[in-house]
Amino acid sequence: MTNMQFAKRLQPLQSNVFADMDRAKAIALASGREVIDLSLGSSDLPAEAHVIEAIAHSLHDRTTHGYLLFNGTQGFRQAAAKWYEQKFGIKVDPETEVLPLIGSQEGTAHLPLAILNPGDFALLLDPGYPSHAGGVYLASGQIYPMPLRAENAFLPVFADIPAPVLAQSRMMVLSYPHNPTAAIAPISFFQEAVAFCQQHNLVLVHDFPYVDLVFGETGEWADYSGNPKSLVPSILQADPEKSVSIEFFTLSKSYNMGGFRIGYAIGNAQLINALRQIKAVVDFNQYRGILNGAIAALTGPQSGVKSAVATFQGRRDAFISALHRIGWNVPTPQATMYIWAKLPSAWSQNSIEFCIQLVKQTGVAASPGAGFGKSGEGYVRFALVHEPPLLETAVERMAQFLD
């Protein structure tokens, strides 16, 4: 057998938090344990009936069975632009400022190929979603991690970025509401970010999958006074001219369409065109029927979104209450489908081993904070992807583990 040589860019991609936990879950299952999987943020809720109907109807239309080029996505792009205008009051050109994607992850993974030259820096949140780093590595870029700390409400401090790093930086990636910390950002923070990126000639990327999974309590974020149809701001409200910004949205969370892999990029026309050039090399578009389902989701009744938010809020409340009952005093998040919990002191420097032993001994699977970046160490992320009784059972098992 020949000694195959692989590209160096593969080296930082050899492990990730989800793959590591998959192996630990497999060991637990092989030992006969019933696994309660709280490690992956894949919604267990179904897509709405009118969405499924639109897709099902398309299957019998033979004109949907061929390749789908950009012009054929016009109806979806128009629906996306209208959705944005209604939700945020931002005027969007569906011809030049919208691009269909296979989920927002495609956008965050591929955009660095259009922005970075080898050795250029990308400024990323630490902790942050793994594909943000993966895309930079694929582009042979360098990562400067911006630490997120509880005392700063899990927002980065731009003044802490060293000047030599800024001189080599080409892009910044933000994502609020945030995975994994569940933090949210006010419009004032986004305005600061836009001004910073304009000053330093950076592309500002905002990954925005949790726009709708926001719960209605008042708090520090209540100073946001934008369009009442959204409780959290879009980056484009801080950059209405779309001077430096691009935002990624997916229908995976709001509309429970994760398996259908449909999302879109929206923002600066030059950035959209650059990403379109990358996408043209990689793939055609999704099956037209999926886009028809997405159009139905964006333009149809939104009661399913409200129902999903209420479901996740109920799960959050049940899980947090159960944690508090066992003496694990975790703050109540205001958004997302996650609980970001600071580990007990005995595990504060070994979140990976905590999660491995937890699933082996109890069958409860969670994601170690260290898997999301160096600053995630000392935390664990739980995904609220089961009903309250099972979530409470998971906490009961964890109580025995922690004794």
Side-chain angles (χ1 to χ4, degrees), residues 197-228:
C197 289
Q198 289 172 335
Q199 178 184 355
H200 296 284
N201 197 27
L202 303 174
V203 170
L204 180 52
V205 181
H206 188 228
D207 195 9
F208 203 23
Y210 300 99
V211 52
D212 290 308
L213 290 189
V214 183
F215 312 120
E217 300 89 349
T218 57
E220 293 182 1
W221 59 281
D223 65 346
Y224 171 56
S225 57
N227 193 301

PDB file of all heavy atoms in Angstrom, residues 197-228:
ATOM      1  N   CYS A 197     -15.188  47.048  12.600  1.00  0.00           N
ATOM      2  CA  CYS A 197     -14.836  46.389  11.341  1.00  0.00           C
ATOM      3  C   CYS A 197     -14.658  47.393  10.200  1.00  0.00           C
ATOM      4  O   CYS A 197     -13.790  47.220   9.334  1.00  0.00           O
ATOM      5  CB  CYS A 197     -15.901  45.348  10.990  1.00  0.00           C
ATOM      6  SG  CYS A 197     -15.859  43.900  12.086  1.00  0.00           S
ATOM      7  N   GLN A 198     -15.455  48.437  10.198  1.00  0.00           N
ATOM      8  CA  GLN A 198     -15.267  49.489   9.205  1.00  0.00           C
ATOM      9  C   GLN A 198     -13.907  50.158   9.385  1.00  0.00           C
ATOM     10  O   GLN A 198     -13.184  50.407   8.416  1.00  0.00           O
ATOM     11  CB  GLN A 198     -16.389  50.522   9.322  1.00  0.00           C
ATOM     12  CG  GLN A 198     -17.747  50.023   8.847  1.00  0.00           C
ATOM     13  CD  GLN A 198     -18.861  51.004   9.154  1.00  0.00           C
ATOM     14  OE1 GLN A 198     -18.757  51.818  10.084  1.00  0.00           O
ATOM     15  NE2 GLN A 198     -19.948  50.937   8.395  1.00  0.00           N
ATOM     16  N   GLN A 199     -13.535  50.425  10.639  1.00  0.00           N
ATOM     17  CA  GLN A 199     -12.268  51.087  10.935  1.00  0.00           C
ATOM     18  C   GLN A 199     -11.072  50.245  10.508  1.00  0.00           C
ATOM     19  O   GLN A 199     -10.078  50.774  10.001  1.00  0.00           O
ATOM     20  CB  GLN A 199     -12.176  51.388  12.433  1.00  0.00           C
ATOM     21  CG  GLN A 199     -10.869  52.041  12.868  1.00  0.00           C
ATOM     22  CD  GLN A 199     -10.788  52.228  14.370  1.00  0.00           C
ATOM     23  OE1 GLN A 199     -11.745  51.948  15.109  1.00  0.00           O
ATOM     24  NE2 GLN A 199      -9.639  52.685  14.854  1.00  0.00           N
ATOM     25  N   HIS A 200     -11.178  48.930  10.677  1.00  0.00           N
ATOM     26  CA  HIS A 200     -10.036  48.054  10.425  1.00  0.00           C
ATOM     27  C   HIS A 200     -10.182  47.241   9.131  1.00  0.00           C
ATOM     28  O   HIS A 200      -9.419  46.293   8.913  1.00  0.00           O
ATOM     29  CB  HIS A 200      -9.836  47.114  11.621  1.00  0.00           C
ATOM     30  CG  HIS A 200      -9.478  47.833  12.885  1.00  0.00           C
ATOM     31  ND1 HIS A 200      -8.219  48.342  13.132  1.00  0.00           N
ATOM     32  CD2 HIS A 200     -10.240  48.163  13.968  1.00  0.00           C
ATOM     33  CE1 HIS A 200      -8.207  48.936  14.319  1.00  0.00           C
ATOM     34  NE2 HIS A 200      -9.413  48.839  14.847  1.00  0.00           N
ATOM     35  N   ASN A 201     -11.137  47.619   8.302  1.00  0.00           N
ATOM     36  CA  ASN A 201     -11.323  46.996   6.993  1.00  0.00           C
ATOM     37  C   ASN A 201     -11.518  45.483   7.110  1.00  0.00           C
ATOM     38  O   ASN A 201     -10.867  44.691   6.427  1.00  0.00           O
ATOM     39  CB  ASN A 201     -10.125  47.295   6.081  1.00  0.00           C
ATOM     40  CG  ASN A 201     -10.431  47.030   4.616  1.00  0.00           C
ATOM     41  OD1 ASN A 201     -11.594  47.111   4.194  1.00  0.00           O
ATOM     42  ND2 ASN A 201      -9.412  46.700   3.841  1.00  0.00           N
ATOM     43  N   LEU A 202     -12.436  45.088   7.990  1.00  0.00           N
ATOM     44  CA  LEU A 202     -12.752  43.682   8.219  1.00  0.00           C
ATOM     45  C   LEU A 202     -14.129  43.357   7.663  1.00  0.00           C
ATOM     46  O   LEU A 202     -15.044  44.177   7.731  1.00  0.00           O
ATOM     47  CB  LEU A 202     -12.752  43.357   9.717  1.00  0.00           C
ATOM     48  CG  LEU A 202     -11.483  43.653  10.508  1.00  0.00           C
ATOM     49  CD1 LEU A 202     -11.739  43.411  11.997  1.00  0.00           C
ATOM     50  CD2 LEU A 202     -10.334  42.785  10.022  1.00  0.00           C
ATOM     51  N   VAL A 203     -14.287  42.156   7.132  1.00  0.00           N
ATOM     52  CA  VAL A 203     -15.607  41.632   6.803  1.00  0.00           C
ATOM     53  C   VAL A 203     -16.253  41.163   8.104  1.00  0.00           C
ATOM     54  O   VAL A 203     -15.632  40.445   8.893  1.00  0.00           O
ATOM     55  CB  VAL A 203     -15.502  40.465   5.804  1.00  0.00           C
ATOM     56  CG1 VAL A 203     -16.843  39.761   5.648  1.00  0.00           C
ATOM     57  CG2 VAL A 203     -14.987  40.967   4.464  1.00  0.00           C
ATOM     58  N   LEU A 204     -17.497  41.562   8.317  1.00  0.00           N
ATOM     59  CA  LEU A 204     -18.211  41.180   9.534  1.00  0.00           C
ATOM     60  C   LEU A 204     -19.241  40.115   9.193  1.00  0.00           C
ATOM     61  O   LEU A 204     -20.187  40.355   8.432  1.00  0.00           O
ATOM     62  CB  LEU A 204     -18.890  42.403  10.159  1.00  0.00           C
ATOM     63  CG  LEU A 204     -19.689  42.172  11.445  1.00  0.00           C
ATOM     64  CD1 LEU A 204     -18.859  41.447  12.496  1.00  0.00           C
ATOM     65  CD2 LEU A 204     -20.188  43.505  12.001  1.00  0.00           C
ATOM     66  N   VAL A 205     -19.038  38.930   9.747  1.00  0.00           N
ATOM     67  CA  VAL A 205     -19.902  37.776   9.490  1.00  0.00           C
ATOM     68  C   VAL A 205     -20.743  37.527  10.733  1.00  0.00           C
ATOM     69  O   VAL A 205     -20.207  37.453  11.840  1.00  0.00           O
ATOM     70  CB  VAL A 205     -19.060  36.523   9.178  1.00  0.00           C
ATOM     71  CG1 VAL A 205     -19.958  35.329   8.888  1.00  0.00           C
ATOM     72  CG2 VAL A 205     -18.099  36.798   8.029  1.00  0.00           C
ATOM     73  N   HIS A 206     -22.053  37.392  10.557  1.00  0.00           N
ATOM     74  CA  HIS A 206     -22.921  37.079  11.691  1.00  0.00           C
ATOM     75  C   HIS A 206     -23.712  35.817  11.405  1.00  0.00           C
ATOM     76  O   HIS A 206     -24.523  35.780  10.475  1.00  0.00           O
ATOM     77  CB  HIS A 206     -23.878  38.237  11.995  1.00  0.00           C
ATOM     78  CG  HIS A 206     -24.653  38.022  13.261  1.00  0.00           C
ATOM     79  ND1 HIS A 206     -26.019  38.192  13.352  1.00  0.00           N
ATOM     80  CD2 HIS A 206     -24.245  37.620  14.494  1.00  0.00           C
ATOM     81  CE1 HIS A 206     -26.414  37.917  14.585  1.00  0.00           C
ATOM     82  NE2 HIS A 206     -25.360  37.563  15.294  1.00  0.00           N
ATOM     83  N   ASP A 207     -23.460  34.782  12.207  1.00  0.00           N
ATOM     84  CA  ASP A 207     -24.195  33.522  12.112  1.00  0.00           C
ATOM     85  C   ASP A 207     -25.415  33.647  13.026  1.00  0.00           C
ATOM     86  O   ASP A 207     -25.276  33.846  14.233  1.00  0.00           O
ATOM     87  CB  ASP A 207     -23.276  32.385  12.564  1.00  0.00           C
ATOM     88  CG  ASP A 207     -23.797  31.021  12.163  1.00  0.00           C
ATOM     89  OD1 ASP A 207     -24.766  30.950  11.395  1.00  0.00           O
ATOM     90  OD2 ASP A 207     -23.226  30.013  12.625  1.00  0.00           O
ATOM     91  N   PHE A 208     -26.621  33.477  12.455  1.00  0.00           N
ATOM     92  CA  PHE A 208     -27.853  33.918  13.135  1.00  0.00           C
ATOM     93  C   PHE A 208     -28.923  32.825  13.152  1.00  0.00           C
ATOM     94  O   PHE A 208     -30.082  33.075  12.841  1.00  0.00           O
ATOM     95  CB  PHE A 208     -28.376  35.145  12.380  1.00  0.00           C
ATOM     96  CG  PHE A 208     -29.265  36.075  13.160  1.00  0.00           C
ATOM     97  CD1 PHE A 208     -29.251  36.161  14.530  1.00  0.00           C
ATOM     98  CD2 PHE A 208     -30.141  36.911  12.463  1.00  0.00           C
ATOM     99  CE1 PHE A 208     -30.074  37.042  15.212  1.00  0.00           C
ATOM    100  CE2 PHE A 208     -30.972  37.800  13.133  1.00  0.00           C
ATOM    101  CZ  PHE A 208     -30.937  37.863  14.512  1.00  0.00           C
ATOM    102  N   PRO A 209     -28.573  31.594  13.565  1.00  0.00           N
ATOM    103  CA  PRO A 209     -29.581  30.528  13.505  1.00  0.00           C
ATOM    104  C   PRO A 209     -30.657  30.598  14.586  1.00  0.00           C
ATOM    105  O   PRO A 209     -31.727  30.015  14.423  1.00  0.00           O
ATOM    106  CB  PRO A 209     -28.750  29.249  13.657  1.00  0.00           C
ATOM    107  CG  PRO A 209     -27.527  29.677  14.375  1.00  0.00           C
ATOM    108  CD  PRO A 209     -27.250  31.078  13.917  1.00  0.00           C
ATOM    109  N   TYR A 210     -30.385  31.313  15.686  1.00  0.00           N
ATOM    110  CA  TYR A 210     -31.304  31.283  16.828  1.00  0.00           C
ATOM    111  C   TYR A 210     -32.114  32.565  16.969  1.00  0.00           C
ATOM    112  O   TYR A 210     -32.543  32.923  18.061  1.00  0.00           O
ATOM    113  CB  TYR A 210     -30.513  30.995  18.115  1.00  0.00           C
ATOM    114  CG  TYR A 210     -29.803  29.677  18.048  1.00  0.00           C
ATOM    115  CD1 TYR A 210     -28.451  29.609  17.728  1.00  0.00           C
ATOM    116  CD2 TYR A 210     -30.492  28.484  18.237  1.00  0.00           C
ATOM    117  CE1 TYR A 210     -27.799  28.385  17.615  1.00  0.00           C
ATOM    118  CE2 TYR A 210     -29.853  27.255  18.136  1.00  0.00           C
ATOM    119  CZ  TYR A 210     -28.516  27.215  17.830  1.00  0.00           C
ATOM    120  OH  TYR A 210     -27.877  26.004  17.709  1.00  0.00           O
ATOM    121  N   VAL A 211     -32.344  33.244  15.853  1.00  0.00           N
ATOM    122  CA  VAL A 211     -33.059  34.516  15.862  1.00  0.00           C
ATOM    123  C   VAL A 211     -34.421  34.400  16.539  1.00  0.00           C
ATOM    124  O   VAL A 211     -34.860  35.330  17.229  1.00  0.00           O
ATOM    125  CB  VAL A 211     -33.195  35.069  14.427  1.00  0.00           C
ATOM    126  CG1 VAL A 211     -33.783  34.038  13.494  1.00  0.00           C
ATOM    127  CG2 VAL A 211     -34.048  36.320  14.392  1.00  0.00           C
ATOM    128  N   ASP A 212     -35.108  33.281  16.383  1.00  0.00           N
ATOM    129  CA  ASP A 212     -36.451  33.143  16.941  1.00  0.00           C
ATOM    130  C   ASP A 212     -36.492  32.451  18.295  1.00  0.00           C
ATOM    131  O   ASP A 212     -37.495  32.561  19.010  1.00  0.00           O
ATOM    132  CB  ASP A 212     -37.347  32.363  15.967  1.00  0.00           C
ATOM    133  CG  ASP A 212     -37.667  33.173  14.718  1.00  0.00           C
ATOM    134  OD1 ASP A 212     -38.122  34.324  14.878  1.00  0.00           O
ATOM    135  OD2 ASP A 212     -37.448  32.671  13.609  1.00  0.00           O
ATOM    136  N   LEU A 213     -35.438  31.733  18.659  1.00  0.00           N
ATOM    137  CA  LEU A 213     -35.456  30.998  19.925  1.00  0.00           C
ATOM    138  C   LEU A 213     -35.013  31.899  21.068  1.00  0.00           C
ATOM    139  O   LEU A 213     -33.974  31.716  21.701  1.00  0.00           O
ATOM    140  CB  LEU A 213     -34.571  29.758  19.834  1.00  0.00           C
ATOM    141  CG  LEU A 213     -35.086  28.633  18.941  1.00  0.00           C
ATOM    142  CD1 LEU A 213     -34.237  27.386  19.110  1.00  0.00           C
ATOM    143  CD2 LEU A 213     -36.543  28.305  19.228  1.00  0.00           C
ATOM    144  N   VAL A 214     -35.841  32.901  21.308  1.00  0.00           N
ATOM    145  CA  VAL A 214     -35.600  33.899  22.348  1.00  0.00           C
ATOM    146  C   VAL A 214     -36.820  33.937  23.246  1.00  0.00           C
ATOM    147  O   VAL A 214     -37.960  33.933  22.765  1.00  0.00           O
ATOM    148  CB  VAL A 214     -35.340  35.292  21.729  1.00  0.00           C
ATOM    149  CG1 VAL A 214     -35.016  36.306  22.803  1.00  0.00           C
ATOM    150  CG2 VAL A 214     -34.208  35.216  20.712  1.00  0.00           C
ATOM    151  N   PHE A 215     -36.576  33.974  24.541  1.00  0.00           N
ATOM    152  CA  PHE A 215     -37.659  33.898  25.509  1.00  0.00           C
ATOM    153  C   PHE A 215     -37.981  35.291  26.044  1.00  0.00           C
ATOM    154  O   PHE A 215     -37.130  36.174  26.056  1.00  0.00           O
ATOM    155  CB  PHE A 215     -37.276  32.933  26.624  1.00  0.00           C
ATOM    156  CG  PHE A 215     -36.738  31.637  26.086  1.00  0.00           C
ATOM    157  CD1 PHE A 215     -35.456  31.193  26.386  1.00  0.00           C
ATOM    158  CD2 PHE A 215     -37.494  30.867  25.202  1.00  0.00           C
ATOM    159  CE1 PHE A 215     -34.956  30.016  25.866  1.00  0.00           C
ATOM    160  CE2 PHE A 215     -37.006  29.695  24.664  1.00  0.00           C
ATOM    161  CZ  PHE A 215     -35.726  29.267  25.002  1.00  0.00           C
ATOM    162  N   GLY A 216     -39.205  35.490  26.487  1.00  0.00           N
ATOM    163  CA  GLY A 216     -39.763  36.821  26.627  1.00  0.00           C
ATOM    164  C   GLY A 216     -39.469  37.594  27.881  1.00  0.00           C
ATOM    165  O   GLY A 216     -40.071  38.626  28.110  1.00  0.00           O
ATOM    166  N   GLU A 217     -38.537  37.124  28.734  1.00  0.00           N
ATOM    167  CA  GLU A 217     -38.284  37.872  29.961  1.00  0.00           C
ATOM    168  C   GLU A 217     -37.589  39.198  29.668  1.00  0.00           C
ATOM    169  O   GLU A 217     -36.895  39.359  28.684  1.00  0.00           O
ATOM    170  CB  GLU A 217     -37.391  37.057  30.924  1.00  0.00           C
ATOM    171  CG  GLU A 217     -37.970  35.750  31.344  1.00  0.00           C
ATOM    172  CD  GLU A 217     -37.597  34.633  30.382  1.00  0.00           C
ATOM    173  OE1 GLU A 217     -37.068  34.922  29.298  1.00  0.00           O
ATOM    174  OE2 GLU A 217     -37.857  33.486  30.729  1.00  0.00           O
ATOM    175  N   THR A 218     -37.755  40.134  30.562  1.00  0.00           N
ATOM    176  CA  THR A 218     -36.998  41.378  30.453  1.00  0.00           C
ATOM    177  C   THR A 218     -35.628  41.153  31.065  1.00  0.00           C
ATOM    178  O   THR A 218     -35.405  40.257  31.862  1.00  0.00           O
ATOM    179  CB  THR A 218     -37.709  42.523  31.195  1.00  0.00           C
ATOM    180  OG1 THR A 218     -37.898  42.132  32.572  1.00  0.00           O
ATOM    181  CG2 THR A 218     -39.041  42.811  30.568  1.00  0.00           C
ATOM    182  N   GLY A 219     -34.698  41.985  30.717  1.00  0.00           N
ATOM    183  CA  GLY A 219     -33.342  41.844  31.226  1.00  0.00           C
ATOM    184  C   GLY A 219     -32.474  42.931  30.623  1.00  0.00           C
ATOM    185  O   GLY A 219     -32.968  43.912  30.081  1.00  0.00           O
ATOM    186  N   GLU A 220     -31.158  42.756  30.699  1.00  0.00           N
ATOM    187  CA  GLU A 220     -30.241  43.775  30.200  1.00  0.00           C
ATOM    188  C   GLU A 220     -30.405  43.992  28.701  1.00  0.00           C
ATOM    189  O   GLU A 220     -30.109  45.054  28.191  1.00  0.00           O
ATOM    190  CB  GLU A 220     -28.796  43.361  30.510  1.00  0.00           C
ATOM    191  CG  GLU A 220     -28.477  43.366  32.003  1.00  0.00           C
ATOM    192  CD  GLU A 220     -27.038  43.004  32.266  1.00  0.00           C
ATOM    193  OE1 GLU A 220     -26.305  42.767  31.299  1.00  0.00           O
ATOM    194  OE2 GLU A 220     -26.642  42.959  33.441  1.00  0.00           O
ATOM    195  N   TRP A 221     -30.885  42.957  27.992  1.00  0.00           N
ATOM    196  CA  TRP A 221     -31.016  43.060  26.545  1.00  0.00           C
ATOM    197  C   TRP A 221     -32.245  43.853  26.125  1.00  0.00           C
ATOM    198  O   TRP A 221     -32.449  44.113  24.960  1.00  0.00           O
ATOM    199  CB  TRP A 221     -31.064  41.668  25.929  1.00  0.00           C
ATOM    200  CG  TRP A 221     -32.191  40.817  26.425  1.00  0.00           C
ATOM    201  CD1 TRP A 221     -32.241  40.130  27.606  1.00  0.00           C
ATOM    202  CD2 TRP A 221     -33.431  40.563  25.785  1.00  0.00           C
ATOM    203  NE1 TRP A 221     -33.433  39.465  27.725  1.00  0.00           N
ATOM    204  CE2 TRP A 221     -34.183  39.711  26.619  1.00  0.00           C
ATOM    205  CE3 TRP A 221     -33.986  40.973  24.575  1.00  0.00           C
ATOM    206  CZ2 TRP A 221     -35.444  39.265  26.288  1.00  0.00           C
ATOM    207  CZ3 TRP A 221     -35.247  40.516  24.245  1.00  0.00           C
ATOM    208  CH2 TRP A 221     -35.962  39.671  25.098  1.00  0.00           C
ATOM    209  N   ALA A 222     -33.084  44.246  27.093  1.00  0.00           N
ATOM    210  CA  ALA A 222     -34.336  44.918  26.755  1.00  0.00           C
ATOM    211  C   ALA A 222     -34.128  46.326  26.198  1.00  0.00           C
ATOM    212  O   ALA A 222     -35.082  46.980  25.808  1.00  0.00           O
ATOM    213  CB  ALA A 222     -35.245  44.970  27.981  1.00  0.00           C
ATOM    214  N   ASP A 223     -32.857  46.803  26.157  1.00  0.00           N
ATOM    215  CA  ASP A 223     -32.630  48.114  25.569  1.00  0.00           C
ATOM    216  C   ASP A 223     -32.762  48.063  24.044  1.00  0.00           C
ATOM    217  O   ASP A 223     -32.750  49.092  23.384  1.00  0.00           O
ATOM    218  CB  ASP A 223     -31.251  48.668  25.952  1.00  0.00           C
ATOM    219  CG  ASP A 223     -30.100  47.843  25.378  1.00  0.00           C
ATOM    220  OD1 ASP A 223     -30.352  46.722  24.910  1.00  0.00           O
ATOM    221  OD2 ASP A 223     -28.962  48.346  25.407  1.00  0.00           O
ATOM    222  N   TYR A 224     -32.893  46.842  23.499  1.00  0.00           N
ATOM    223  CA  TYR A 224     -33.110  46.733  22.058  1.00  0.00           C
ATOM    224  C   TYR A 224     -34.533  47.185  21.747  1.00  0.00           C
ATOM    225  O   TYR A 224     -35.509  46.652  22.257  1.00  0.00           O
ATOM    226  CB  TYR A 224     -32.907  45.291  21.580  1.00  0.00           C
ATOM    227  CG  TYR A 224     -33.332  45.102  20.143  1.00  0.00           C
ATOM    228  CD1 TYR A 224     -32.788  45.898  19.142  1.00  0.00           C
ATOM    229  CD2 TYR A 224     -34.310  44.187  19.803  1.00  0.00           C
ATOM    230  CE1 TYR A 224     -33.188  45.753  17.836  1.00  0.00           C
ATOM    231  CE2 TYR A 224     -34.718  44.032  18.492  1.00  0.00           C
ATOM    232  CZ  TYR A 224     -34.155  44.821  17.514  1.00  0.00           C
ATOM    233  OH  TYR A 224     -34.554  44.692  16.217  1.00  0.00           O
ATOM    234  N   SER A 225     -34.645  48.191  20.879  1.00  0.00           N
ATOM    235  CA  SER A 225     -35.962  48.778  20.592  1.00  0.00           C
ATOM    236  C   SER A 225     -36.241  48.766  19.092  1.00  0.00           C
ATOM    237  O   SER A 225     -36.834  49.687  18.551  1.00  0.00           O
ATOM    238  CB  SER A 225     -36.016  50.208  21.122  1.00  0.00           C
ATOM    239  OG  SER A 225     -34.976  50.993  20.565  1.00  0.00           O
ATOM    240  N   GLY A 226     -35.793  47.724  18.435  1.00  0.00           N
ATOM    241  CA  GLY A 226     -35.996  47.623  16.998  1.00  0.00           C
ATOM    242  C   GLY A 226     -37.381  47.118  16.669  1.00  0.00           C
ATOM    243  O   GLY A 226     -38.342  47.307  17.407  1.00  0.00           O
ATOM    244  N   ASN A 227     -37.480  46.454  15.513  1.00  0.00           N
ATOM    245  CA  ASN A 227     -38.762  45.941  15.066  1.00  0.00           C
ATOM    246  C   ASN A 227     -39.342  44.969  16.083  1.00  0.00           C
ATOM    247  O   ASN A 227     -38.664  44.047  16.509  1.00  0.00           O
ATOM    248  CB  ASN A 227     -38.562  45.237  13.719  1.00  0.00           C
ATOM    249  CG  ASN A 227     -39.878  44.946  13.029  1.00  0.00           C
ATOM    250  OD1 ASN A 227     -40.725  44.245  13.572  1.00  0.00           O
ATOM    251  ND2 ASN A 227     -40.050  45.501  11.852  1.00  0.00           N
ATOM    252  N   PRO A 228     -40.579  45.172  16.519  1.00  0.00           N
ATOM    253  CA  PRO A 228     -41.144  44.309  17.557  1.00  0.00           C
ATOM    254  C   PRO A 228     -41.342  42.866  17.136  1.00  0.00           C
ATOM    255  O   PRO A 228     -41.645  42.021  17.967  1.00  0.00           O
ATOM    256  CB  PRO A 228     -42.490  44.974  17.860  1.00  0.00           C
ATOM    257  CG  PRO A 228     -42.832  45.751  16.631  1.00  0.00           C
ATOM    258  CD  PRO A 228     -41.513  46.212  16.101  1.00  0.00           C
TER     259      PRO A 228
END
